[in-house]
Amino acid sequence: MNSNPSPGTGHERRGDAALGFTDLDVRFTTEFGGVHAVKGLTLEVARGEVVALVGESGSGKSVTSTAAMGLLPENASVTGEARVGGVNVVGLDSEKVRRMRATKIAMIFQEPMTALNPVLTIERQMTEALELHDIAYGQDATARAVELLQLVGIPDPERRIKQYPHQFSGGQRQRIVIAIAISCDPEVIIADEPTTALDVTVQADILDLLRRLKDDLDVGILLITHNMGVVADLADRVAVMFRGQLVETGSVDAVLNRPEHPYTRKLLESVPKLSQVDLREAYTDAPEDPFRELVLEAKDLVLEYEMRGKRFRAVEDVSFSVGRQEILGVVGESGSGKSTVAKAVLGLLPIASGTLAVRGRDLAQLRPREAKEVRRKIGVVFQDPAASLNPRFPIGDCIVEPMVIHKVGDRKSRMERAQELLDAVRLPRDVVNRYPHELSGGQRQRVSIARALTLQPELLIADEPTSALDVSVQAAVLEMIKELQAQYEFACLFVSHDLAVVDMLADHVVVMKDGHAVERGSTNYVLHHPQNDYTRRLLAAAPVPEPAEQRERREARRELLAQG
């Protein structure tokens, strides 16, 4: 029975566990009353083992890991045990807990730029930890830091250690964070969403690195994630949390393939799955309908940025089209140019050459007033709803902001429109008087979608609209986008690095690499019978939430990479 979350489930209690929780209970005292965040959790992580702790926001995952690090705030009341290398850190003197960090337990955070100090060199940040814990000093510390950078795959570490965080890519920064985490030989590493901010190919590389380090260093890893593909790829065991309780534990195969708790089943049903990909067979795409009603069309599009007096070409000779009631998925790694295309459509970037036309009107040839009128028919949903909604505006004013900008309607008609759209995105009408911080992430994204639809757009630009959301919330938002498209009949340019989401939602796909469109066509053609080597590598890197299939995909990816 993998649904019994008792201490012995799937893994017998052992004295040599790298990390162990017994009846851990965490409550917070707030001005609005008490919050019972973790309710009697019992779990162990052995050395050389990866245990994935999964669940939605608010389930208690991060509070559990923070308790192990001894970093809970003063308003937390903690009972039970959180043992690191056999030492219970609950109630332990803060100085003793501080000395255990890095030497016994280390953490890899979700966003490497918040974990690294932007004004210090990588050398200073890495040697600081070694000196602080009396492991090495001076040249010895630098030599150890260079060795660690080499271990995590940073090229030319002797030179690059003198550089600053902004001079590295996102994947390289995460490797540096991992190097710092293992610098003092900890017994356990807590990896809190370590790949969420990364592209699929970079994510696959980081997961390979963590797998190798786990085996080579015999370190235990507590992996906190909402990505079930990552769980299938890396974890040995899975523990599922729901509202502060551990509701199911077991081997990765048992939990992902034979879930017993209703919440686990619901979580897995919400995960978008990339269906079977044929990486070998030649395939001919079906021709596009010549009578499609085009809403957006790009021909030989070139986009450039001005940087320090020099021009940087971000997109070159890209062509695509989106018809009414169609969704075009634009995929590719960071820096491929996919978000740059979306910015150009929104008028945030000038068009260097080529054509970018909305309903046949070329945006590059329009006067500012004409362009504004065309863009009135374009709605936009950004990645982070918290950053795109004005925190000082009540929700009703956030939704009708486009009507105010374009001088449409009066106060009464605008509020009626806001309430109508709240119905469409399935939020209660009384939300109009609440503020963004009072809503959950999923609710805020629904508000963003409602705002995008305020002026009945013919084209919706969605730039990574679900990447910051939990899987079940993501599934609900994606389903809602499909329903709203059927109702409002808009065309949609959907920018994403999640291939499974694009597979589920898009009619056609454009694959971007280094500013070029390397492959385009129907979703079935591009994502299931890819002809381009880069598309194949991209698809092979996307993890799937089934352990045996994921092992096969990992091997297929290694073969592709070996072929160059």
Side-chain angles (χ1 to χ4, degrees):
M1 285 285 288
N2 55 295
S3 59
N4 176 13
S6 64
T9 302
H11 188 75
E12 293 304 314
R13 282 197 59 178
R14 294 161 45 172
D16 64 344
L19 177 65
F21 302 98
T22 303
D23 295 328
L24 181 71
D25 200 275
V26 183
R27 297 169 189 260
F28 294 99
T29 305
T30 74
E31 58 181 307
F32 303 108
V35 176
H36 200 171
V38 179
K39 304 169 183 175
L41 178 136
T42 297
L43 183 69
E44 287 193 347
V45 183
R47 295 196 69 142
E49 179 187 42
V50 178
V51 175
L53 192 58
V54 302
E56 294 170 292
S57 296
S59 63
K61 310 186 301 291
S62 293
V63 174
T64 300
S65 66
T66 310
M69 294 291 291
L71 293 172
L72 287 171
E74 290 182 1
N75 66 331
S77 170
V78 191
T79 59
E81 292 185 358
R83 300 180 311 281
V84 177
V87 178
N88 182 19
V89 299
V90 175
L92 192 65
D93 177 72
S94 58
E95 181 57 29
K96 289 179 180 176
V97 177
R98 188 188 67 77
R99 285 201 297 269
M100 290 176 70
R101 290 184 207 127
T103 56
K104 294 289 185 182
I105 184 168
M107 195 154 191
I108 301 166
F109 294 96
Q110 177 175 346
E111 179 46 69
M113 271 308 268
T114 60
L116 295 171
N117 190 324
V119 300
L120 297 180
T121 63
I122 298 305
E123 179 180 20
R124 186 71 204 99
Q125 296 185 62
M126 293 191 70
T127 56
E128 187 177 47
L130 295 166
E131 291 170 359
L132 190 66
H133 293 282
D134 298 323
I135 291 171
Y137 295 89
Q139 289 301 314
D140 290 341
T142 298
R144 172 68 176 148
V146 167
E147 186 185 308
L148 287 162
L149 289 180
Q150 198 160 21
L151 183 66
V152 298
I154 298 292
D156 194 10
E158 292 88 353
R159 179 180 64 86
R160 301 215 66 187
I161 197 170
K162 307 291 185 186
Q163 295 180 334
Y164 291 85
H166 73 272
Q167 294 175 281
F168 294 82
S169 69
Q172 288 175 328
R173 285 195 290 261
Q174 195 62 298
R175 287 173 183 270
I176 292 165
V177 169
I178 292 170
I180 294 171
I182 64 172
S183 62
C184 300
D185 297 321
E187 293 181 22
V188 64
I189 293 172
I190 295 175
D192 192 354
E193 301 279 9
T195 62
T196 298
L198 305 176
D199 297 316
V200 284
T201 49
V202 181
Q203 172 179 271
D205 291 339
I206 294 296
L207 294 176
D208 282 344
L209 171 62
L210 288 172
R211 189 180 298 105
R212 178 166 58 80
L213 292 175
K214 175 204 63 156
D215 294 336
D216 293 351
L217 306 177
D218 196 33
V219 65
I221 297 177
L222 181 66
L223 173 69
I224 297 172
T225 184
H226 65 256
N227 187 325
M228 293 300 177
V230 169
V231 172
D233 192 58
L234 190 62
D236 301 301
R237 290 191 303 127
V238 184
V240 184
M241 285 193 79
F242 177 58
R243 294 181 180 170
Q245 289 184 305
L246 206 58
V247 296
E248 184 159 8
T249 63
S251 70
V252 66
D253 177 65
V255 174
L256 296 192
N257 288 326
R258 297 179 297 281
E260 295 183 357
H261 194 277
Y263 175 71
T264 312
R265 289 198 291 270
K266 175 176 170 279
L267 208 57
L268 290 166
E269 284 164 7
S270 301
V271 178
K273 296 173 180 68
L274 186 63
S275 47
Q276 197 60 44
V277 178
D278 191 329
L279 296 174
R280 299 171 184 86
E281 182 187 325
Y283 183 83
T284 304
D285 195 12
E288 286 184 345
D289 179 5
F291 301 107
R292 290 157 66 225
E293 189 180 329
L294 292 186
V295 175
L296 176 66
E297 186 175 23
K299 286 183 181 175
D300 304 323
L301 182 66
V302 175
L303 302 171
E304 295 177 338
Y305 285 105
E306 185 91 33
M307 294 177 69
R308 297 176 184 172
K310 296 181 181 177
R311 300 194 76 77
F312 166 68
R313 186 158 286 191
V315 169
E316 187 160 16
D317 296 330
V318 169
S319 300
F320 61 81
S321 62
V322 194
R324 182 165 162 265
Q325 279 193 281
E326 288 180 355
I327 296 179
L328 174 70
V330 185
V331 302
E333 296 170 288
S334 294
S336 64
K338 58 186 191 299
S339 290
T340 305
V341 170
K343 285 178 184 173
V345 178
L346 293 168
L348 301 175
L349 195 67
I351 296 159
S353 68
T355 302
L356 186 60
V358 176
R359 285 291 186 188
R361 302 184 75 186
D362 186 1
L363 296 174
Q365 307 299 322
L366 298 178
R367 294 188 183 91
R369 183 175 291 186
E370 292 173 321
K372 183 181 178 183
E373 189 59 34
V374 168
R375 289 194 175 95
R376 176 179 162 175
K377 291 296 183 182
I378 302 174
V380 59
V381 183
F382 294 104
Q383 179 174 351
D384 184 357
S388 62
L389 298 175
N390 191 324
R392 293 186 292 274
F393 279 14
I395 296 302
D397 288 353
C398 287
I399 292 173
V400 301
E401 192 176 9
M403 297 179 77
V404 175
I405 291 168
H406 290 280
K407 299 180 174 60
V408 175
D410 55 18
R411 177 73 182 170
K412 183 172 181 290
S413 63
R414 288 169 188 165
M415 281 302 119
E416 285 173 357
R417 178 67 175 152
Q419 291 180 333
E420 179 188 314
L421 286 163
L422 285 171
D423 291 342
V425 298
R426 298 200 204 98
L427 284 174
R429 288 191 169 200
D430 61 11
V431 162
V432 287
N433 297 316
R434 294 166 70 182
Y435 286 83
H437 72 271
E438 298 180 84
L439 304 184
S440 69
Q443 287 173 323
R444 284 196 293 261
Q445 197 60 299
R446 287 169 185 262
V447 170
S448 295
I449 292 168
R451 182 180 62 180
L453 299 176
T454 303
L455 296 173
Q456 297 179 315
E458 296 181 352
L459 174 64
L460 182 72
I461 308 292
D463 192 356
E464 302 277 10
T466 60
S467 64
L469 305 176
D470 292 320
V471 283
S472 57
V473 179
Q474 173 181 268
V477 169
L478 292 172
E479 192 59 41
M480 191 184 66
I481 289 174
K482 287 166 73 175
E483 288 177 11
L484 290 170
Q485 192 197 31
Q487 182 180 344
Y488 292 97
E489 300 186 341
F490 52 78
C492 180
L493 186 72
F494 191 92
V495 177
S496 181
H497 68 258
D498 191 326
L499 299 175
V501 166
V502 172
D503 188 25
M504 174 184 136
L505 207 62
D507 303 292
H508 299 90
V509 179
V510 173
V511 182
M512 300 282 292
K513 180 181 187 293
D514 300 331
H516 294 83
V518 296
E519 189 159 4
R520 67 174 182 267
S522 69
T523 303
N524 182 52
Y525 172 70
V526 175
L527 297 189
H528 301 284
H529 305 274
Q531 307 301 299
N532 185 276
D533 285 343
Y534 174 73
T535 312
R536 288 179 174 139
R537 288 198 297 273
L538 211 57
L539 286 160
V544 294
E546 203 292 306
E549 186 184 343
Q550 180 53 29
R551 280 192 294 273
E552 289 177 13
R553 291 174 68 82
R554 196 160 64 231
E555 287 306 315
R557 177 173 179 265
R558 284 175 182 158
E559 287 176 22
L560 279 169
L561 292 174
Q563 292 166 14

